[in-house]
Amino acid sequence: MSQSVSTYFQFEKPLYGAAYYSEYTPTDRLDEDIRLMKQANLSVVRIGESTWSVFEPQNGVFQFEWMDRIIDKLSKAGIKIILGTPTYSIPAWMAHQHPEVLSQTVDGKQSYYGIRQNMDLTNPIYRHYCERIIRKLMERYAKHPAIIGFQVDNEVEARGIDNPGYFEGFRNYIKDSFHANLDSLNARWGLNYWGMNINTWEEFYDRKGVTNPSYKLWWERWNRKVTADFLNWQVDIVNEYKRPDQFVTHCFMPYFCNIDQIEAFRQMDYPAINVYYTMQDGQDGQWIGYACDYMRELCKHKNFLITETNAQGTGWSSRDQWPPYDGQLRQNMYAFLSGGANMVEYWHWSTLHYGQETYWRGLLGHDMTPNRVYAEFSKGAKELEKIGKRLVNSRKHNRVAMLFSHDSKFGLDFMPYTHGDQYKDYMIYEALYRQNIECDIVPCDKITDFDKYDMLVIPPLYVASDELLYKIADFVEKGGDVVMFYKSGYCDPDNVVRPMLAPGPLAKACGFTYQEFSSINQLPLKSNELGVEENQISTWMEFLCPTTAVPLAYADHPFFGKWPCITENAYGKGHLIYVGTVPSQKLLEKLIARAADRQQIASVERKFSFPLILRSVENGYGKKVHYLFNYSMKPVTLDYPYSDSRSLLDEQQLKKGASVVIEPWGVIIGEEY
């Protein structure tokens, strides 16, 4: 039975720890590991998600005593535990006795045993054994006082599954979605093209070899549905056993186009993500910011967990080993907290001596003794013990949203216009992040209420419903500012081009129409009021014909210069800037700043720019907390830009306008009085 809405696990301070696999170590060192964990002030571990073959070495033969010992000793040490269901890595006996559970893929390949996540998530035999091991685990451990939560599965994605049963599920999904009307399906998908129309449901053909963009888009929706349904199925089982004060989570990879987050997060108080990023000279906090800004708005309590992140070097080989510089591990822990995380865990506690991830290094190295990274972890853990109550359960009140469309991302990938990134969401996020404009990232295929924002920034909205497009137009008309990229409004929800002048339902709000477009090489722009040094465009250009829009930029070219490539339209009380081309990064920053100026957004923060990154939250005491990060090798001096505050890390006063120094790879955390 599901827990009541009002009762759930609540964090008193952020948890700080690591994934821990005592069963992986070459010798039994459980007591020594726990001693070192306590010495470092580690507060939480995640265990168990990779151990089905140890829990159940033979079909129906269960061994839990080894895990009893681990859990009991961790509990005695006062370390909190998140226990995983082990369903992402099947035991050898299952593959041997039931090879049909192994996945076949859309590229015609057969998966084999020897790697994880090699199964068909919809296979009923696999599901039967999943349910059995989950119930066995829950019966044994749900009431253990040290277990604060359960992680269902691990990094679930469809991963190209195309088994016969998986395809049958897709066909039934389409049949239901189209109310069994093949005439409607043929018409909406344009299946008369190349004579691929379907006259009976038995003729509905498999994904392998498909070229139709509509079929491909719906197939990706099916993949997202399958993974969300699989997770919710596991959560339903766990909810039958867990206590009201325990949570259920899943560690998602932050490749957000592959998951239906809204449906997958539906029953999770604190969903989790595994975020890996570049360290050393490449450390900039941007991927951390992106992942946090996506997760936060989708979470029931606006907070989430980090279940994996870099400890030292990472990789399935030793080719790319980039351990952190001094200060970087601690800096990134605070970066996660500044984005709304209530827990940060590293993958993992100690480095493996065998297996695919031998060089995906943990807090301890291969020698399994304290080191430089362990010492920095310990420093951060001790700080959290002291000030964690001021940093946990934070809230953001951002005025800017960047919209994210799963359908547009896939639609552009199916019909690409360049050899590089099609969707440009990260380019856009960078333009916001580096000038300290904080945002929420909102998946707009399902969420169309933007009333709490003053400004929207929109990557190419290539696939969209009329309803969504009119909501955006309405947002502008009511006084909002929008910065929108090319190709927006071009296709309907079936990934079919609208038979009308582009940009279709957006034409009034955009203040132009267009009929033509072209691939382009890099072109300079004519002199314009935007005034940036990188005054250039590339890759793609739409030939915009303004009706009410004002041109902001023209290509400096005898042919392409006949049409504006960037426009601005006053519509109702608001404005829409349309970028009908790929701008330089500095040009994009200027366009976003132009809209932010109009709304007086981040006026204080935009006085600074990367490598100085400012992030702000409201803590559980209703106080404003400001994080000031220095992502560089050199100390940075600045005048403290906020109201008088207390420095949480050293108890010093931070007077508004007073000079402060942020050390290399350092952070200042100020709580306003």
Side-chain angles (χ1 to χ4, degrees), residues 469-486:
L469 300 177
Y470 286 128
K471 286 275 189 179
I472 293 169
D474 185 58
F475 175 85
V476 179
E477 191 170 20
K478 289 179 177 177
D481 264 80
V482 168
V483 179
M484 173 178 280
F485 261 49
Y486 49 87

Side-chain angles (χ1 to χ4, degrees), residues 10 202 262 524 542 601 630:
Q10 298 186 54
E202 290 71 27
I262 293 172
E542 294 162 352
I601 289 170
N630 173 17

Side-chain angles (χ1 to χ4, degrees), residues 323-392:
Y325 291 152
D326 293 343
Q328 289 188 332
L329 192 86
R330 172 176 169 270
Q331 183 184 55
N332 283 333
M333 177 266 286
Y334 284 120
F336 284 121
L337 298 185
S338 76
N342 271 355
M343 181 186 85
V344 178
E345 280 190 333
Y346 296 95
W347 203 90
H348 41 147
W349 170 250
S350 61
T351 305
L352 300 171
H353 297 80
Y354 40 63
Q356 181 68 66
E357 294 173 320
T358 299
Y359 288 96
W360 205 300
R361 292 167 63 78
L363 291 171
L364 301 183
H366 284 126
D367 55 52
M368 308 180 82
T369 59
N371 54 36
R372 179 179 62 88
V373 172
Y374 171 90
E376 189 163 312
F377 172 91
S378 180
K379 178 181 179 180
K382 286 173 177 141
E383 289 173 352
L384 288 182
E385 186 65 27
K386 182 180 177 183
I387 66 170
K389 289 183 178 181
R390 317 301 297 186
L391 306 180
V392 75

Side-chain angles (χ1 to χ4, degrees), residues 174-188:
I174 295 300
K175 193 173 182 179
D176 289 344
S177 298
F178 286 79
H179 307 291
N181 188 330
L182 279 172
D183 290 338
S184 175
L185 177 70
N186 285 314
R188 283 171 54 181

Side-chain angles (χ1 to χ4, degrees), residues 186-206:
N186 285 314
R188 283 171 54 181
W189 287 11
L191 294 178
N192 283 349
Y193 177 72
W194 281 354
M196 292 182 178
N197 45 303
I198 301 166
N199 296 305
T200 70
W201 285 103
E202 290 71 27
E203 295 171 4
F204 192 94
Y205 36 87
D206 181 54

Side-chain angles (χ1 to χ4, degrees), residues 433-473:
Y433 177 83
R434 296 210 166 210
Q435 55 185 326
N436 286 309
I437 300 175
E438 292 205 66
C439 72
D440 299 329
I441 301 176
V442 178
C444 61
D445 296 315
K446 290 193 171 181
I447 297 175
T448 58
D449 181 3
F450 315 122
D451 285 349
K452 71 177 182 176
Y453 300 106
D454 298 311
M455 177 176 163
L456 304 179
V457 187
I458 307 176
L461 194 53
Y462 183 64
V463 176
S465 66
D466 287 3
E467 177 194 10
L468 173 58
L469 300 177
Y470 286 128
K471 286 275 189 179
I472 293 169

Side-chain angles (χ1 to χ4, degrees), residues 174-372:
I174 295 300
K175 193 173 182 179
D176 289 344
S177 298
F178 286 79
H179 307 291
N181 188 330
L182 279 172
D183 290 338
S184 175
L185 177 70
N186 285 314
R188 283 171 54 181
W189 287 11
L191 294 178
N192 283 349
Y193 177 72
W194 281 354
M196 292 182 178
N197 45 303
I198 301 166
N199 296 305
T200 70
W201 285 103
E202 290 71 27
E203 295 171 4
F204 192 94
Y205 36 87
D206 181 54
R207 171 66 177 81
K208 298 178 183 70
V210 163
T211 55
N212 181 275
S214 298
Y215 187 121
K216 290 180 180 180
L217 189 74
W218 278 88
W219 177 265
E220 293 302 331
R221 289 174 180 160
W222 168 243
N223 287 336
R224 296 197 295 274
K225 174 176 166 52
V226 165
T227 53
D229 287 350
F230 176 67
L231 291 173
N232 279 304
W233 172 75
Q234 287 210 29
V235 176
D236 285 340
I237 298 171
V238 171
N239 278 344
E240 293 181 33
Y241 299 88
K242 77 175 188 67
R243 304 189 308 266
D245 63 334
Q246 292 170 319
F247 60 80
V248 187
T249 190
H250 171 79
C251 53
F252 296 87
M253 291 297 285
Y255 302 111
F256 294 108
C257 58
N258 295 332
I259 301 288
D260 178 350
Q261 291 83 8
I262 293 172
E263 181 59 21
F265 292 8
R266 176 169 53 83
Q267 299 191 79
M268 298 181 187
D269 282 314
Y270 303 103
I273 42 174
N274 299 340
V275 184
Y276 292 100
Y277 42 80
T278 304
M279 287 181 156
Q280 295 191 8
D281 296 334
Q283 175 150 314
D284 60 10
Q286 188 170 306
W287 185 233
I288 291 175
Y290 182 103
C292 293
D293 291 343
Y294 198 114
M295 288 291 293
R296 189 177 50 250
E297 277 303 299
L298 300 176
C299 297
K300 193 180 298 185
H301 305 296
K302 306 304 181 187
N303 301 109
F304 52 90
L305 313 178
I306 304 299
T307 33
E308 294 182 21
T309 191
N310 308 50
Q312 298 191 57
T314 62
W316 279 12
S317 72
S318 58
R319 281 193 295 266
D320 292 298
Q321 293 291 300
W322 307 100
Y325 291 152
D326 293 343
Q328 289 188 332
L329 192 86
R330 172 176 169 270
Q331 183 184 55
N332 283 333
M333 177 266 286
Y334 284 120
F336 284 121
L337 298 185
S338 76
N342 271 355
M343 181 186 85
V344 178
E345 280 190 333
Y346 296 95
W347 203 90
H348 41 147
W349 170 250
S350 61
T351 305
L352 300 171
H353 297 80
Y354 40 63
Q356 181 68 66
E357 294 173 320
T358 299
Y359 288 96
W360 205 300
R361 292 167 63 78
L363 291 171
L364 301 183
H366 284 126
D367 55 52
M368 308 180 82
T369 59
N371 54 36
R372 179 179 62 88

